[in-house]
Amino acid sequence: MKILGDSNSGNCLKVKWVCDKLALPYTWVEIDTMKGGSRTAEFLKLNGWGQVPTVELDDGRTLAQSNAIIRYLARGSDLIPGDPYRAAQMDAWMFWEQNSHEPYVAVCRFQTVYLGKAVSEIDPNLLKRGYVALDHLERHLAGTQFLVGDAFSLADVSLLAYTRVAEDGGLALERYPIIRRWIADAERVLGLPPVR
């Protein structure tokens, strides 16, 4: 399997982390998205959306969209709850991540890390919505170790990717002790060095 990704992208790292956690063999192919690497004719044959991550399976089939990829790769593992209701709760968090977290937390980071903007140049509404997402996470995690109870799942992988680096985009994590505890727990489960 090949993972075509940008090693600075949280969405791409989700796929790497799941493969590493489940000991799935892969070859990482670095794609420089800022220099048009995901817009070449060769890449667009693999993923017509022109986005990373993209996975090319050993049989030549491809899959895109980070949460769909990790959902596929983790089938049958303990990263997906066996109970259908718990699995649906996991999916709900993964959908929420793409709709209500990533468009703000990740976009703030994109503007500073990829575009080189100062935090003061970020649209204040993006920062405000990022804090709304972090506030929601903090409230939820106050009553549970991980997002879906006491068992680590793909929901945690999905939300960890950009939450752990939210400060890169100007979102202060010092005001979120419960999120910081969850980040440390999730990094431990995945064998990641602390980001800070």
Side-chain angles (χ1 to χ4, degrees), residues 103-182:
Y104 310 108
V105 177
V107 169
C108 288
R109 180 178 182 267
F110 177 82
Q111 291 190 12
T112 59
V113 172
Y114 284 85
L115 301 182
K117 288 185 176 182
V119 171
S120 61
E121 297 176 277
I122 296 174
D123 179 347
N125 288 322
L126 279 178
L127 290 165
K128 179 181 177 184
R129 295 295 301 269
Y131 279 120
V132 168
L134 294 174
D135 290 345
H136 182 66
L137 271 180
E138 182 82 356
R139 283 190 305 274
H140 177 75
L141 288 166
T144 183
Q145 182 179 7
F146 294 111
L147 288 167
V148 183
D150 293 331
F152 185 84
S153 74
L154 291 179
D156 299 289
V157 174
S158 183
L159 269 298
L160 180 66
Y162 286 110
T163 303
R164 75 193 289 254
V165 292
E167 291 183 338
D168 292 349
L171 295 160
L173 290 179
E174 72 262 7
R175 61 197 254 189
Y176 297 107
I178 298 168
I179 287 177
R180 291 195 323 270
R181 183 270 307 155
W182 166 77

Side-chain angles (χ1 to χ4, degrees), residues 39 96 142 194:
R39 299 293 180 183
W96 180 81

Side-chain angles (χ1 to χ4, degrees), residues 17-186:
W17 295 342
V18 168
C19 286
D20 291 345
K21 174 74 174 159
L22 299 177
L24 300 175
Y26 64 90
T27 301
W28 182 271
V29 179
E30 187 72 18
I31 302 295
D32 189 338
T33 57
M34 296 306 289
K35 292 186 177 174
S38 61
R39 299 293 180 183
T40 65
E42 182 182 2
F43 188 93
L44 290 171
K45 284 179 188 173
L46 301 174
N47 178 346
W49 290 313
Q51 298 172 327
V52 291
T54 297
V55 168
E56 184 177 4
L57 303 172
D58 292 338
D59 63 8
R61 291 179 300 163
T62 60
L63 193 56
Q65 299 300 320
S66 61
N67 287 343
I69 294 169
I70 63 175
R71 190 75 162 78
Y72 174 78
L73 295 175
R75 68 200 184 284
S77 79
D78 62 1
L79 292 177
I80 299 174
D83 175 72
Y85 179 75
R86 290 289 201 187
Q89 288 180 311
M90 179 196 78
D91 288 336
W93 278 108
M94 293 171 72
F95 296 146
W96 180 81
E97 184 264 343
Q98 285 293 292
N99 289 299
S100 300
H101 181 280
E102 196 264 359
Y104 310 108
V105 177
V107 169
C108 288
R109 180 178 182 267
F110 177 82
Q111 291 190 12
T112 59
V113 172
Y114 284 85
L115 301 182
K117 288 185 176 182
V119 171
S120 61
E121 297 176 277
I122 296 174
D123 179 347
N125 288 322
L126 279 178
L127 290 165
K128 179 181 177 184
R129 295 295 301 269
Y131 279 120
V132 168
L134 294 174
D135 290 345
H136 182 66
L137 271 180
E138 182 82 356
R139 283 190 305 274
H140 177 75
L141 288 166
T144 183
Q145 182 179 7
F146 294 111
L147 288 167
V148 183
D150 293 331
F152 185 84
S153 74
L154 291 179
D156 299 289
V157 174
S158 183
L159 269 298
L160 180 66
Y162 286 110
T163 303
R164 75 193 289 254
V165 292
E167 291 183 338
D168 292 349
L171 295 160
L173 290 179
E174 72 262 7
R175 61 197 254 189
Y176 297 107
I178 298 168
I179 287 177
R180 291 195 323 270
R181 183 270 307 155
W182 166 77
I183 289 170
D185 289 348

